[in-house]
Amino acid sequence: MSGKRFAEESDSNQYWENERRRRARPSLASAIGEVVKVNFVQNFCTALEPMLRRVVNEEVENGLRRSIPSYSRSSSWRIKAVEPSTMQLKFRKNLTLPIFTGTKILDEDGNPLELYIVDLSHNQESTVSCALKLQIVVLDGDFPSADSNKWTSDEFEKNIVKERRGKRPLLAGDVSVTMRDGVSLVENIELTDNSSWIRSRKFRIAARVVHGATPGLVIREAMTEAFVVKDHRGELYKKHHPPMLEDEVWRLEKIGKDGAFHKKLAANNIKTVQEFLKLSVVNEPKLRKILGLGMSDKMWEVTINHARTFVVTSKIYILRGPNNTIFLNPICQVIKAVINGENLSGKDLSRVNKSYIQKFVEEAYQNWNSLEVVDGPLCDTPLLTQGDRLDQYASNYPITTAIYEEHVIPERQTTELTYTSDRDHGGVVSSSYFYGPVEAYNFSDSSSKGELAATHNFIN
């Protein structure tokens, strides 16, 4: 009997143990209920936190205002600081255009970009007592809109242009600078990508004060005019109009960089526009032979006419001999000669035997690097005396530009030397005074036999 009773008790204990375990296991409904309770508490705390912070801040400020009378004034100033500021960064000058990738960005005078602070309320330069950290960025050229010159910091931030995926940072160089005494220079920045891939196809360079650098003081951002950025590859092969004498010869039309004509000229030590023009004056047939049959007559005209539009310089090259002094312009044309003490210029040179002068021209060409060089107007040379043709045409009224055969010559390309034909056309004028016609002559074999060829190739 005892055994039977023991078995019954065991079964009863096992039953209650299983029932306890079943009740202890959470049900799906209870689990979901617990999750809902937790989420509710978290959401409630999240919503309550800003309210509590605001209440605490208000109570703290009220307490400070009651205990520290001066606090109300500082608090008032601090609140006003978030209003639109009258202080703004500005770029001193516009940019030098066009702008190419990989080239230094400079102002219109070729100097580093300069930033300063202006007080808009008084329209005058201003400064701040502390050093400011500035960040240089790139903006979309369409920002801000044409009918508005106001923007918020958030709008400015949204219009900053970043590099394309897989590309280098869009702006390289001094992208972080320090402003002291209200002035800062941005000496070395360049763009690494062109602007063709954004909708406006233009960029702006902008500068802003680094966030937190001026607590309580708001200074608006500066930005340049909108501009197009071109690939540097285009600049590498760009022709110059007009060319400079020191330009490489492939800058001329019809002569491609590393092309057949370029290689032929380089093989004959003709590397610059000046060397090309000098040989065209001294011995044009030789130059044509170097270029070969591939340079047709039509192509030749295009190339030589382009070369003859070069930017004028005021250099005079002087060949001195025992009984003669020959004055030449930078492309080896004779502009004056002193032979056996006689001054010859203009039409006076036509009385001299062509072959006699030609040998001096060839001598000057062969010894070009050893010639005496004078940098200045021809009338400053001591060999010119009163009554020379140049002085007879001098005027005492200022003039800054001239038109030569429908070509306008700007002031920056002018000089006091003039080289024209015997027609009554002004050639080049100085930025101060105009000097009348002075002929330059070619004495090469290409000139007509028995005559000197008056030419105005110096300016075409």
Coordinates of all heavy atoms in Angstrom, one line a residue, residues 100-156:
F100 N 41.1 77.4 -65.8 CA 41.3 76.0 -66.3 C 41.6 75.1 -65.1 O 42.1 75.6 -64.1 CB 42.4 75.9 -67.3 CG 42.1 76.6 -68.6 CD1 42.4 77.9 -68.8 CD2 41.5 75.9 -69.7 CE1 42.2 78.6 -70.0 CE2 41.3 76.6 -70.8 CZ 41.6 77.9 -71.0
T101 N 41.3 73.8 -65.2 CA 41.6 72.9 -64.1 C 43.1 72.8 -63.9 O 43.8 72.9 -64.9 CB 41.0 71.5 -64.5 OG1 41.6 71.0 -65.7 CG2 39.5 71.5 -64.6
G102 N 43.5 72.7 -62.7 CA 44.9 72.5 -62.4 C 45.7 73.8 -62.4 O 46.9 73.7 -62.3
T103 N 45.1 74.9 -62.7 CA 45.8 76.2 -62.7 C 45.4 77.0 -61.5 O 44.3 77.0 -61.0 CB 45.6 77.0 -64.0 OG1 44.2 77.2 -64.1 CG2 46.0 76.2 -65.2
K104 N 46.4 77.8 -61.0 CA 46.2 78.6 -59.8 C 45.1 79.7 -60.1 O 45.1 80.4 -61.1 CB 47.5 79.3 -59.3 CG 47.4 80.0 -58.0 CD 48.7 80.7 -57.6 CE 49.7 79.6 -57.4 NZ 51.0 80.3 -56.9
I105 N 44.2 79.9 -59.2 CA 43.1 80.9 -59.3 C 43.6 82.2 -58.7 O 44.0 82.3 -57.6 CB 41.8 80.4 -58.6 CG1 41.3 79.1 -59.2 CG2 40.8 81.5 -58.7 CD1 40.1 78.5 -58.5
L106 N 43.6 83.2 -59.6 CA 44.2 84.5 -59.2 C 43.1 85.6 -59.4 O 42.1 85.4 -60.2 CB 45.4 84.9 -60.0 CG 46.6 83.8 -59.9 CD1 47.7 84.2 -60.9 CD2 47.1 83.9 -58.4
D107 N 43.3 86.8 -58.9 CA 42.4 87.9 -59.2 C 42.7 88.5 -60.5 O 43.7 88.1 -61.2 CB 42.4 88.9 -58.1 CG 43.7 89.7 -58.0 OD1 44.5 89.8 -58.9 OD2 44.0 90.3 -56.9
E108 N 42.0 89.5 -60.9 CA 42.1 90.1 -62.3 C 43.4 90.8 -62.5 O 43.8 91.1 -63.6 CB 41.0 91.1 -62.5 CG 40.9 92.2 -61.5 CD 39.7 93.1 -61.6 OE1 38.9 92.8 -62.5 OE2 39.5 94.0 -60.8
D109 N 44.2 91.1 -61.4 CA 45.5 91.7 -61.6 C 46.6 90.6 -61.5 O 47.8 91.0 -61.5 CB 45.7 92.7 -60.5 CG 44.8 93.9 -60.7 OD1 44.5 94.2 -61.8 OD2 44.5 94.6 -59.7
G110 N 46.2 89.3 -61.5 CA 47.2 88.3 -61.4 C 47.8 88.0 -60.0 O 48.8 87.4 -59.9
N111 N 47.1 88.5 -59.0 CA 47.6 88.4 -57.6 C 46.7 87.4 -56.8 O 45.6 87.1 -57.3 CB 47.5 89.7 -56.9 CG 48.4 90.7 -57.5 OD1 49.6 90.4 -57.9 ND2 48.0 92.0 -57.6
P112 N 47.2 86.9 -55.7 CA 46.3 85.9 -54.9 C 45.0 86.6 -54.5 O 44.9 87.8 -54.4 CB 47.2 85.7 -53.7 CG 48.6 85.9 -54.2 CD 48.5 87.0 -55.1
L113 N 44.0 85.8 -54.3 CA 42.7 86.4 -53.9 C 42.8 87.0 -52.5 O 43.4 86.4 -51.6 CB 41.6 85.2 -53.9 CG 41.5 84.5 -55.2 CD1 40.3 83.5 -55.1 CD2 41.2 85.4 -56.4
E114 N 42.2 88.1 -52.3 CA 42.2 88.8 -51.0 C 40.8 88.9 -50.5 O 39.8 89.3 -51.2 CB 42.8 90.2 -51.2 CG 42.9 90.9 -49.8 CD 43.5 92.3 -50.0 OE1 44.0 92.6 -51.1 OE2 43.5 93.1 -49.0
L115 N 40.6 88.5 -49.2 CA 39.3 88.6 -48.5 C 39.4 89.7 -47.5 O 40.4 89.9 -46.8 CB 39.0 87.3 -47.9 CG 38.5 86.2 -48.8 CD1 38.7 84.8 -48.1 CD2 37.1 86.4 -49.1
Y116 N 38.3 90.4 -47.3 CA 38.2 91.4 -46.2 C 36.8 91.4 -45.7 O 35.9 90.8 -46.2 CB 38.6 92.8 -46.8 CG 37.7 93.4 -47.8 CD1 36.8 94.4 -47.4 CD2 37.7 93.0 -49.1 CE1 35.9 95.0 -48.3 CE2 36.8 93.6 -50.0 CZ 35.9 94.5 -49.6 OH 35.1 95.1 -50.5
I117 N 36.6 92.2 -44.6 CA 35.3 92.3 -44.0 C 34.7 93.6 -44.3 O 35.4 94.7 -44.2 CB 35.4 92.0 -42.5 CG1 35.9 90.6 -42.2 CG2 34.0 92.2 -41.8 CD1 36.1 90.3 -40.7
V118 N 33.4 93.7 -44.6 CA 32.7 94.9 -44.8 C 31.5 95.0 -43.9 O 30.9 94.0 -43.6 CB 32.3 95.1 -46.3 CG1 31.3 94.0 -46.7 CG2 31.7 96.5 -46.6
D119 N 31.3 96.2 -43.4 CA 30.2 96.5 -42.6 C 29.1 97.1 -43.5 O 29.2 98.2 -44.0 CB 30.5 97.5 -41.5 CG 29.3 97.8 -40.5 OD1 28.2 97.4 -40.9 OD2 29.5 98.4 -39.5
L120 N 28.1 96.3 -43.8 CA 27.1 96.6 -44.8 C 26.2 97.8 -44.3 O 25.7 98.6 -45.2 CB 26.2 95.4 -45.1 CG 26.9 94.2 -45.6 CD1 25.9 93.0 -45.8 CD2 27.5 94.5 -47.0
S121 N 26.1 98.0 -43.0 CA 25.2 99.1 -42.6 C 25.9 100.4 -42.8 O 25.2 101.5 -43.0 CB 24.9 98.9 -41.1 OG 26.2 99.0 -40.3
H122 N 27.2 100.5 -42.9 CA 27.9 101.7 -43.2 C 28.7 101.7 -44.5 O 29.3 102.6 -44.9 CB 28.9 102.0 -42.0 CG 28.3 102.2 -40.7 ND1 28.0 101.2 -39.8 CD2 27.7 103.3 -40.1 CE1 27.4 101.7 -38.7 NE2 27.2 102.9 -38.9
N123 N 28.6 100.5 -45.2 CA 29.3 100.3 -46.5 C 30.8 100.7 -46.4 O 31.3 101.5 -47.2 CB 28.6 101.2 -47.5 CG 29.0 100.7 -48.9 OD1 29.4 99.6 -49.2 ND2 29.0 101.6 -49.9
Q124 N 31.4 100.1 -45.4 CA 32.9 100.4 -45.2 C 33.6 99.2 -44.7 O 32.9 98.3 -44.1 CB 33.1 101.6 -44.3 CG 32.6 101.4 -42.9 CD 32.8 102.6 -42.0 OE1 33.0 103.7 -42.5 NE2 32.7 102.5 -40.7
E125 N 34.9 99.1 -44.9 CA 35.6 98.0 -44.4 C 35.6 98.0 -42.9 O 35.5 99.0 -42.2 CB 37.1 98.1 -44.9 CG 37.3 97.7 -46.3 CD 38.7 97.4 -46.7 OE1 39.4 96.8 -45.9 OE2 39.1 97.9 -47.8
S126 N 35.7 96.8 -42.3 CA 35.6 96.6 -40.9 C 36.6 95.6 -40.5 O 37.3 95.0 -41.3 CB 34.2 96.3 -40.4 OG 34.2 96.2 -39.0
T127 N 36.7 95.3 -39.2 CA 37.6 94.3 -38.7 C 37.1 93.7 -37.4 O 36.1 94.2 -36.9 CB 39.0 94.9 -38.5 OG1 39.9 93.8 -38.2 CG2 39.0 95.9 -37.4
V128 N 37.7 92.6 -37.0 CA 37.4 92.0 -35.7 C 38.7 91.9 -34.9 O 39.8 91.8 -35.5 CB 36.7 90.7 -35.9 CG1 35.3 90.9 -36.5 CG2 37.5 89.7 -36.7
S129 N 38.6 91.8 -33.6 CA 39.8 91.8 -32.8 C 40.5 90.5 -32.8 O 41.7 90.4 -32.6 CB 39.4 92.2 -31.4 OG 38.4 91.3 -30.8
C130 N 39.7 89.4 -33.1 CA 40.3 88.1 -33.0 C 40.6 87.5 -34.4 O 40.1 88.0 -35.4 CB 39.4 87.1 -32.3 SG 37.8 87.0 -33.0
A131 N 41.5 86.5 -34.4 CA 41.8 85.8 -35.7 C 40.6 85.0 -36.1 O 40.0 84.3 -35.2 CB 43.1 85.0 -35.6
L132 N 40.3 84.9 -37.4 CA 39.2 84.1 -37.8 C 39.7 83.0 -38.7 O 40.5 83.2 -39.6 CB 38.2 85.0 -38.7 CG 37.6 86.2 -38.0 CD1 36.7 86.9 -39.0 CD2 36.8 85.7 -36.8
K133 N 39.1 81.8 -38.5 CA 39.4 80.7 -39.3 C 38.4 80.7 -40.5 O 37.2 80.7 -40.2 CB 39.3 79.3 -38.6 CG 40.4 79.1 -37.6 CD 41.7 78.7 -38.3 CE 42.8 78.3 -37.4 NZ 44.1 78.0 -38.1
L134 N 38.9 80.7 -41.7 CA 38.0 80.7 -42.9 C 38.1 79.4 -43.7 O 39.2 78.8 -43.8 CB 38.3 81.9 -43.8 CG 38.4 83.3 -43.2 CD1 38.7 84.3 -44.2 CD2 37.1 83.6 -42.5
Q135 N 37.0 79.0 -44.3 CA 37.0 77.8 -45.1 C 36.6 78.3 -46.5 O 35.7 79.0 -46.7 CB 36.0 76.8 -44.6 CG 35.9 75.5 -45.5 CD 34.8 74.6 -45.1 OE1 33.9 75.0 -44.3 NE2 34.9 73.3 -45.5
I136 N 37.4 77.8 -47.5 CA 37.2 78.1 -48.9 C 36.4 76.9 -49.6 O 36.9 75.8 -49.4 CB 38.5 78.4 -49.7 CG1 39.4 79.4 -48.9 CG2 38.2 79.0 -51.1 CD1 38.7 80.7 -48.6
V137 N 35.3 77.2 -50.2 CA 34.5 76.1 -50.8 C 34.1 76.5 -52.2 O 34.3 77.7 -52.7 CB 33.2 75.9 -50.0 CG1 33.6 75.4 -48.6 CG2 32.4 77.1 -49.9
V138 N 33.5 75.6 -52.9 CA 32.9 75.8 -54.3 C 31.4 75.8 -54.2 O 30.8 74.9 -53.6 CB 33.4 74.7 -55.3 CG1 32.9 75.0 -56.7 CG2 35.0 74.7 -55.3
L139 N 30.8 76.8 -54.9 CA 29.3 76.9 -54.9 C 28.8 76.7 -56.3 O 29.5 76.9 -57.3 CB 28.9 78.2 -54.4 CG 29.1 78.6 -53.0 CD1 28.5 80.0 -52.7 CD2 28.4 77.6 -52.0
D140 N 27.6 76.3 -56.4 CA 26.9 76.2 -57.7 C 26.8 77.6 -58.2 O 26.4 78.6 -57.5 CB 25.5 75.6 -57.5 CG 24.8 75.3 -58.8 OD1 24.9 76.1 -59.7 OD2 24.1 74.2 -58.8
G141 N 27.0 77.8 -59.5 CA 27.0 79.1 -60.1 C 25.6 79.7 -60.1 O 25.5 81.0 -60.3
D142 N 24.6 79.0 -60.0 CA 23.2 79.5 -60.0 C 22.8 80.1 -58.6 O 21.7 80.6 -58.5 CB 22.2 78.5 -60.4 CG 22.1 78.4 -61.9 OD1 22.6 79.2 -62.6 OD2 21.5 77.4 -62.4
F143 N 23.7 79.9 -57.6 CA 23.3 80.4 -56.3 C 24.1 81.7 -56.0 O 25.3 81.7 -56.3 CB 23.7 79.3 -55.2 CG 23.4 79.8 -53.8 CD1 22.2 79.8 -53.3 CD2 24.5 80.2 -53.0 CE1 22.0 80.2 -52.0 CE2 24.3 80.6 -51.7 CZ 23.0 80.6 -51.2
P144 N 23.5 82.7 -55.4 CA 22.1 82.8 -55.1 C 21.3 83.2 -56.4 O 21.9 83.5 -57.4 CB 22.0 83.9 -54.1 CG 23.2 84.8 -54.5 CD 24.3 83.9 -55.0
S145 N 20.0 83.3 -56.3 CA 19.2 83.6 -57.5 C 19.5 85.1 -57.9 O 20.0 85.9 -57.1 CB 17.7 83.5 -57.2 OG 17.4 84.3 -56.1
A146 N 19.3 85.4 -59.2 CA 19.6 86.7 -59.7 C 18.9 87.8 -59.1 O 19.4 88.9 -59.0 CB 19.4 86.7 -61.2
D147 N 17.7 87.6 -58.5 CA 16.9 88.6 -58.0 C 17.1 88.7 -56.4 O 16.3 89.4 -55.8 CB 15.4 88.4 -58.3 CG 14.9 87.1 -57.8 OD1 15.8 86.2 -57.4 OD2 13.7 86.9 -57.9
S148 N 18.1 88.1 -55.9 CA 18.3 88.1 -54.5 C 19.8 88.0 -54.1 O 20.5 87.2 -54.7 CB 17.6 87.0 -53.8 OG 17.8 87.0 -52.4
N149 N 20.2 88.9 -53.2 CA 21.6 88.8 -52.7 C 21.6 88.4 -51.2 O 22.6 88.6 -50.5 CB 22.3 90.1 -52.9 CG 21.7 91.3 -52.2 OD1 20.6 91.1 -51.6 ND2 22.4 92.4 -52.1
K150 N 20.5 87.8 -50.8 CA 20.4 87.4 -49.4 C 20.2 85.9 -49.4 O 19.6 85.3 -50.2 CB 19.2 88.1 -48.7 CG 19.4 89.6 -48.6 CD 18.2 90.2 -47.8 CE 18.4 91.7 -47.7 NZ 17.3 92.3 -47.0
W151 N 20.8 85.3 -48.4 CA 20.7 83.8 -48.2 C 20.9 83.4 -46.8 O 21.5 84.2 -46.0 CB 21.7 83.1 -49.1 CG 23.1 83.5 -48.8 CD1 24.0 82.9 -47.9 CD2 23.9 84.5 -49.4 NE1 25.2 83.5 -47.9 CE2 25.1 84.5 -48.8 CE3 23.6 85.4 -50.4 CZ2 26.1 85.4 -49.2 CZ3 24.6 86.3 -50.8 CH2 25.8 86.3 -50.2
T152 N 20.5 82.3 -46.4 CA 20.7 81.7 -45.0 C 21.9 80.8 -45.1 O 22.3 80.4 -46.1 CB 19.5 81.0 -44.5 OG1 19.3 79.8 -45.3 CG2 18.2 81.9 -44.6
S153 N 22.4 80.5 -43.9 CA 23.6 79.6 -43.8 C 23.2 78.2 -44.3 O 24.0 77.5 -44.9 CB 24.1 79.5 -42.4 OG 24.6 80.7 -41.9
D154 N 21.9 77.8 -44.1 CA 21.5 76.5 -44.6 C 21.4 76.5 -46.1 O 21.8 75.5 -46.7 CB 20.1 76.2 -44.0 CG 20.1 75.8 -42.5 OD1 21.2 75.5 -42.0 OD2 19.1 75.9 -41.8
E155 N 20.9 77.5 -46.7 CA 20.9 77.6 -48.2 C 22.3 77.6 -48.7 O 22.6 76.9 -49.7 CB 20.2 78.9 -48.6 CG 18.7 78.9 -48.3 CD 18.0 80.2 -48.6 OE1 18.7 81.2 -48.5 OE2 16.8 80.2 -48.8
F156 N 23.2 78.3 -48.1 CA 24.6 78.3 -48.5 C 25.2 76.9 -48.5 O 25.8 76.4 -49.4 CB 25.4 79.2 -47.6 CG 26.9 79.4 -48.0 CD1 27.3 80.4 -48.8 CD2 27.8 78.5 -47.5 CE1 28.6 80.5 -49.2 CE2 29.1 78.6 -47.8 CZ 29.6 79.6 -48.6

